Amino acid sequence: MRRMAVLMAVAFIDMIGLMMVLSPVWGRVSDRYGRRPVLLVGLTASAIAYVVFGFANALWLLFVSRFVQGLGGGTTGVAQAYVADTMVPSERAKALGWLSAATSAGVIIGPALGSLVAGLGQSGPGLLAAALCLVNVLFAGRWLPESRVLPQHTATASGHMAPPPEPRPVKAAIWEVIQHPGRPVARMIWIYAVAMLAYTATPPIFALYLSWRFGVTARNIGYFFVMFGAVGVLMRAFVVGWVNARLGELRTLRVGAALYGLGYALIPLAVTVPQFLAVQVLLPLGTALLFPATSALVSHHSSKHEFGLMLGVQQAFRGVASVIAPVLAGFAYQHLGPSVPFFGCAVIIACALLLAVRVPHTAPDVVTAPAVAH
């Protein structure tokens, strides 16, 4: 029981402490000094953390591994800011879909690779992960160019040299989202955060639900998750750009939210495995359209010198959702019934859709926040 409490503390620190605090911090650092060095630091920290994980022979070393990875992690917003730097506004949702597809593919392939090397010893999976991170460091160090064009001093009308705009302090950016939820960038972040409540709520109870509903066991549950992941990868890689080019980010977001909420509402109504699989497809379809479009809109409504900061703030709100949602879903499953968490997620997504419907449609290339000079 004591070890379980320690592991729960590690998870709490990793998700709400490190992700919530460091995501916007790393984003702001990347706004000031560039994306490339931050990404290299994050990859290097992950490599060190996996080496510690591979050789860990005590619980406190696992704690150290997660802590080190958390310190170097939180760079998802930086990677998204890299995309925002390098892609024109109309292409950002498609590129963010590719980024998400690559991540999802890694989630599918990674456990299989870990299983293959597990036979080589307990250290095998951790050392393989460390090696992959080091390969990434070498690849990025050699071929990844800097995307952030650092601003220079500019001449004013009076002939004086004005300093370039700097990103706001992290606290100010987070407080703006909380205090002014109706502002364009804040509204997009809240849509993302509300949808993430549903996204992070159900994974811990999916296995329990499938076992209760269909008698699925550890031998065959993997097929459900592989199908879920494969549909998400294909959607993000090949469909998001096509849909976004025809509907625009805002309408794509709305369609994604509608499909996502419908999937959650229909899951408890599926009484056979084929019905469940047919309904389950709606979840990756919805998330593939919803989340890349939302992140693209966050960048559209942010100043260029704050891409990293605001996308980092978005990830911070995701960290909060990742802590709250599984607890609520587990409570609802145990005390209110196995179907209740899915209906609850449908209601949550309906709230996100309602927020999205109230957003006025504006062309992405003209929706930018005013620069803040210091």
Side-chain angles (χ1 to χ4, degrees):
M1 193 68 184
R2 181 168 171 260
R3 293 189 176 188
M4 187 64 186
V6 173
L7 290 174
M8 290 176 66
V10 172
F12 182 82
I13 293 172
D14 187 37
M15 292 305 300
I16 195 169
L18 297 176
M19 189 173 186
M20 186 179 74
V21 174
L22 291 179
S23 289
V25 169
W26 279 127
R28 188 175 188 274
V29 170
S30 76
D31 285 332
R32 296 196 64 182
Y33 303 106
R35 319 291 184 208
R36 186 173 178 271
V38 173
L39 292 173
L40 290 174
V41 168
L43 289 170
T44 303
S46 293
I48 295 171
Y50 283 125
V51 170
V52 175
F53 176 83
F55 290 108
N57 56 8
L59 189 60
W60 70 269
L61 284 173
L62 293 177
F63 186 97
V64 171
S65 172
R66 291 306 304 164
F67 187 78
V68 171
Q69 187 162 9
L71 288 176
T75 55
T76 300
V78 178
Q80 292 175 334
Y82 192 103
V83 171
D85 291 336
T86 54
M87 303 299 292
V88 296
S90 60
E91 295 289 314
R92 284 179 193 163
K94 177 174 70 174
L96 288 167
W98 292 342
L99 180 66
S100 183
T103 304
S104 299
V107 171
I108 296 174
I109 298 171
L113 293 177
S115 297
L116 289 176
V117 299
L120 302 177
Q122 184 176 347
S123 301
L127 295 182
L128 174 63
L132 291 173
C133 288
L134 287 176
V135 170
N136 265 335
V137 171
L138 295 174
F139 181 87
R142 176 65 178 85
W143 286 289
L144 184 70
E146 176 55 58
S147 67
R148 175 82 170 102
V149 179
L150 298 177
Q152 304 296 323
H153 284 67
T154 55
T156 64
S158 61
H160 294 88
M161 298 301 292
E166 293 187 3
R168 291 165 293 168
V170 170
K171 182 179 178 181
I174 293 176
W175 184 244
E176 180 192 359
V177 175
I178 297 173
Q179 192 175 25
H180 304 286
R183 291 181 179 176
V185 67
R187 183 177 294 178
M188 290 301 148
I189 291 175
W190 277 113
I191 291 172
Y192 185 91
V194 171
M196 272 295 166
L197 282 173
Y199 183 80
T200 57
T202 53
I205 64 170
F206 249 120
L208 297 173
Y209 181 82
L210 290 173
S211 176
W212 168 78
R213 187 72 162 178
F214 304 114
V216 174
T217 66
R219 292 185 176 182
N220 49 22
I221 193 172
Y223 298 110
F224 291 86
F225 289 97
V226 168
M227 179 180 176
F228 185 94
V231 172
V233 169
L234 294 174
M235 279 291 299
R236 287 168 168 83
F238 301 108
V239 179
V240 170
W242 184 87
V243 174
N244 183 73
R246 284 152 181 79
L247 300 181
E249 285 88 350
L250 186 56
R251 293 190 183 95
T252 299
L253 185 161
R254 292 168 179 168
V255 171
L259 292 174
Y260 197 29
L262 181 63
Y264 274 127
L266 293 178
I267 279 179
L269 306 181
V271 295
T272 65
V273 171
Q275 289 178 358
F276 179 88
L277 292 175
V279 170
Q280 185 195 23
V281 169
L282 292 175
L283 301 184
L285 289 177
T287 57
L289 297 176
L290 170 60
F291 292 120
T294 307
S295 296
L297 286 166
V298 169
S299 72
H300 296 337
H301 291 292
S302 302
S303 300
K304 287 185 177 181
H305 67 279
E306 289 190 340
F307 279 168
L309 173 63
M310 298 314 298
L311 288 166
V313 169
Q314 176 182 259
Q315 293 303 313
F317 277 74
R318 174 183 180 169
V320 176
S322 298
V323 172
I324 296 174
V327 175
L328 296 178
F331 178 87
Y333 184 95
Q334 182 173 354
H335 297 285
L336 302 179
S339 298
V340 172
F342 298 99
F343 287 130
C345 287
V347 173
I348 290 172
I349 296 299
C351 294
L353 180 58
L354 179 62
L355 291 173
V357 168
R358 299 179 64 183
V359 176
H361 182 77
T362 313
D365 57 344
V366 297
V367 181
T368 55
V372 180
H374 296 280

